[in-house]
Amino acid sequence: MLEFKNKKIMLDCGIHPGLNGMDALPYTDMIEAHEIDLLLITHFHLDHCGALPWFLEKTTFKGRVFMTHATKAIYRWMLSDYIKVSNIAADQMLYTEKDLEKSMDKIEAINFHQEVDVNGIKFWCYNAGHVLGAAMFMIEIAGVKVLYTGDFSRIEDRHLMAAEVPTITPDVLITESTYGTHVHEKVEVRELRFTSTVHDIVSRGGRCLIPVFALGRAQELLLILDEYWAAHPELHDIPIYYASSLAKKCMAVYQTFIGAMNERIQRQIAISNPFVFKHIQNLKNVEHFEDIGPCVIMASPGMMQSGLSRQLFEAWCTDKRNGVVIAGYCVEGTLAKHVLSEPSEIVTMTGQKLPLRMSVDYISFSAHTDYEQTSDFVRTLRPPHIVRVVLVHGEQNEMMRLKAALIRDFEDNADFKLEIYTPRNTQAVELYFRGEKMAKVMGVLASQRPHEGHNLSGVLVKRGFNYHLIDPSDLASYTELSTSSVSQRQMVYFNAPFSLLLHHLRLLSPDAQQILLHGRVAIKVFQGAVIVSQEESAAAIEWCADHINDMYADAVMAVVLQLQANPDLVCGLDGKEDSKKKKETKFPDRLLKLMREMFGPQNVNWSKEEGSKIEIVVDAAKAVLDPLTLTVECEDESLQHLVSAGAKRLWTALQSC
């Protein structure tokens, strides 16, 4: 279980191969199924997906569940076979065929590298190489990335490619520790030992049992045996059986997903189908088998806890000519794990004790990563500074050995700081991250290349845990939001002449001008941001609401209210234009008088010729003042400020008279 930013993700939902009924389930009583947002299944093995129908149909889980297309295709047949071979009473079964069928409708299939977003949780998957369709998931929440490998293998075999190494570095790596510090044999050595062992057993007249899961390593071993038999004519009379009720269905799935296999298989399929075997026959059940001489039988399940492999083992274990080859990983509590300790006798499913005389060989073809692969995988990922690794899917001793070995492996590397966690079942690992919030600029705002010091203004949109900065005009294009404008209109009692209002609004905003609006006299202020129209005994103020226009409207409102509240300001405007002209002609003289009072008569000169300017000299600093435009030219900033401020104050004072 992953939990971060109030999002909960369940990684795989399997059963314990050595247990039955409710005992085989994961610790579901420790979680609240209805709180889980997402369930990701890495591959079709029972210890990773065996409890899925029960979880989807018997609990309150309402989230979404994902797996790859190949995994979904094989999941259906694997669990159907599990239901049939389970050696328990019907009332103890976790689920039925009907539950399995219903679960299929709830499973969503994804492609490798396809990015999916579920309620702010982004994830995509890589090829894990373990079995056909196996995936490792990269999960991202609020910028924090977690890579969950599931079961994976970095070694390419006869039909599957090696696991990919993500190009994106995760913040946390959750990886299997199945084999601990064990290092697998070289492929060539392992295959030679396997074929030699099988050859020896049948050569002495014995029957060779190879317990396997219906899909996965079985296909690898079938390819090896078929090739070996073809190269040894003396073995052609000895039959090889693939004893699985899923044989034909499984082969159909493998032939469908050839594109998910390695280049060797893809090249070979153009010539002939490598999964159409010349020396291997399908065996559906024991009733169709004539046990009359040496043979090789690959039967499921791989850990011999029940089913056909268990029946054949109990039938053959007392004959020393026979042999069993354990070719995969075995879980504690299963018969396959028990016989590796070479006991003198075994207990059958009916409780009978039988002597164990057949040979027992362990040749691991398990497509799980070993120590060298795991160490190389961590190094190739190139995590930044602190490497947080959580070891799962392994026995405690193996996990601790792997942890110690990895620490030794990286202790001399100054660039890496390893943090390795080996939690027990149901034990929480708490990690803390200090994520940076970054916003992605989109649309019109992203049309120009930014430069240092440039400020961007837009609408900050949060979607899940992602932030986008967008111009309001782009909201409809990049989001489900739409923009709208609010037009405001306010009526104020006003019985003064409208020409007087125009005069005072020009003092507020020099660009104020009178217009006709729908046949009525109106005033446009602040470049048209605010419109004041004349109504009967009222002034109507209209504007499009935003933070700037609202301030403009408040200023206009203040002027209207001031005029209405001060009757003395309301005087006849007859001859006002003449008065204005007189003020304009007298203003330069008054300005000259003010400057001489401020800086002394001897320091201020003006020829009063048309177009001439007033010169002010103070302590070698010279300022030139234009009496018409009130612009000041001066290199001394303090003098320039004094002259400019004095001239503007005089102009404002005279205008209000």
Side-chain angles (χ1 to χ4, degrees), residues 30 48-49 60 144 176 185 390 439 454 468 470 531 642 648:
M30 303 289 292
H48 290 260
C49 72
T60 57
V144 175
E176 65 162 315
E185 288 180 300
V390 182
H454 177 60
H468 302 288
I470 302 172
I531 304 292
L642 284 171
K648 287 179 180 178

Side-chain angles (χ1 to χ4, degrees), residues 45-342:
H45 279 159
L46 292 178
D47 59 329
H48 290 260
C49 72
L52 185 58
W54 177 86
F55 193 73
L56 296 183
E57 301 304 322
K58 309 288 187 180
T59 72
T60 57
F61 175 72
K62 301 298 179 185
R64 295 171 68 181
V65 55
F66 290 86
M67 60 179 67
T68 64
H69 290 274
T71 300
K72 184 176 180 180
I74 300 170
Y75 158 87
R76 168 69 183 83
W77 305 118
M78 283 287 289
L79 269 67
S80 178
D81 185 60
Y82 167 72
I83 293 171
K84 292 172 184 174
V85 302
S86 293
N87 188 35
I88 59 175
D91 60 342
Q92 292 183 303
M93 291 294 294
L94 294 174
Y95 45 83
T96 63
E97 280 281 353
K98 186 177 180 181
D99 294 326
L100 177 57
E101 286 293 342
K102 288 169 67 177
S103 74
M104 289 292 289
D105 296 331
K106 298 179 180 179
I107 297 171
E108 299 177 59
I110 58 169
N111 298 313
F112 290 110
H113 309 126
Q114 174 189 347
E115 187 175 302
V116 181
D117 191 309
V118 176
N119 298 329
I121 306 168
K122 282 200 300 186
F123 66 93
W124 58 96
C125 61
Y126 301 93
N127 194 315
H130 177 63
V131 291
L132 180 63
M136 54 177 70
F137 284 96
M138 183 75 79
I139 303 155
E140 181 179 348
I141 304 175
V144 175
K145 299 179 182 67
V146 178
L147 178 63
Y148 173 57
T149 66
D151 295 349
F152 76 108
S153 173
R154 289 283 295 137
I155 302 296
E156 182 173 311
D157 58 24
R158 285 175 174 258
H159 70 295
L160 294 176
M161 61 183 74
E164 296 178 81
V165 177
T167 54
I168 298 174
T169 301
D171 298 288
V172 181
L173 172 64
I174 303 175
T175 185
E176 65 162 315
S177 57
T178 312
Y179 278 93
T181 54
H182 178 78
V183 177
H184 294 323
E185 288 180 300
K186 297 294 183 184
V187 174
E188 300 80 7
V189 175
R190 181 176 62 192
E191 290 188 4
L192 177 61
R193 206 155 65 85
F194 172 70
T195 52
S196 298
T197 302
V198 174
H199 197 149
D200 289 345
I201 293 171
V202 296
S203 295
R204 65 181 183 236
R207 298 155 179 81
C208 179
L209 172 63
I210 307 174
V212 292
F213 292 105
L215 281 168
R217 293 300 84 198
Q219 282 61 44
E220 180 77 0
L221 299 178
L222 290 172
L223 289 167
I224 295 170
L225 287 175
D226 196 56
E227 182 183 292
Y228 187 79
W229 248 244
H232 293 78
E234 72 275 14
L235 298 175
H236 288 183
D237 293 334
I238 299 175
I240 303 175
Y241 297 104
Y242 179 30
S244 171
S245 59
L246 298 179
K248 290 184 178 179
K249 294 172 182 174
C250 293
M251 286 299 102
V253 172
Y254 265 66
Q255 291 165 25
T256 300
F257 292 98
I258 289 292
M261 299 182 198
N262 59 26
E263 292 183 6
R264 177 178 177 273
I265 292 293
Q266 294 184 41
R267 285 195 303 268
Q268 192 174 341
I269 197 71
I271 304 169
S272 62
N273 193 333
F275 293 106
V276 176
F277 302 111
K278 296 178 181 178
H279 303 282
I280 298 169
Q281 308 169 47
N282 290 330
L283 181 64
K284 195 167 186 180
N285 52 50
V286 177
E287 286 73 24
H288 294 83
F289 172 56
E290 293 183 7
D291 192 3
I292 56 175
C295 64
V296 178
I297 295 187
M298 293 176 60
S300 62
M303 299 188 197
M304 299 190 296
Q305 62 270 37
S306 60
L308 190 54
S309 62
R310 179 65 174 259
Q311 294 177 39
L312 291 172
F313 178 81
E314 291 179 1
W316 293 348
C317 69
T318 58
D319 191 336
K320 64 181 181 180
R321 294 176 300 171
N322 301 332
V324 59
V325 179
I326 308 296
Y329 180 75
C330 304
V331 175
E332 288 290 348
T334 61
L335 178 62
K337 185 73 171 180
H338 178 60
V339 299
L340 289 179
S341 62
E342 299 183 358

Side-chain angles (χ1 to χ4, degrees), residues 485-552:
S485 59
V486 178
S487 295
Q488 303 229 50
R489 191 170 192 266
Q490 192 159 353
M491 301 285 289
V492 182
Y493 178 75
F494 185 74
N495 60 359
F498 218 63
S499 56
L500 179 64
L501 178 59
L502 174 61
H503 169 70
H504 282 273
L505 287 178
R506 278 178 175 163
L507 296 178
L508 176 68
S509 173
D511 67 344
Q513 65 182 72
Q514 186 170 301
I515 61 172
L516 279 177
L517 182 67
H518 306 306
R520 291 177 178 271
V521 176
I523 302 172
K524 184 169 68 172
V525 194
F526 297 114
Q527 299 180 345
V530 180
I531 304 292
V532 184
S533 56
Q534 187 175 19
E535 303 284 342
E536 187 176 348
S537 299
I541 305 171
E542 299 178 73
W543 72 98
C544 187
D546 67 28
H547 62 289
I548 295 177
N549 290 351
D550 288 350
M551 290 191 296
Y552 287 160

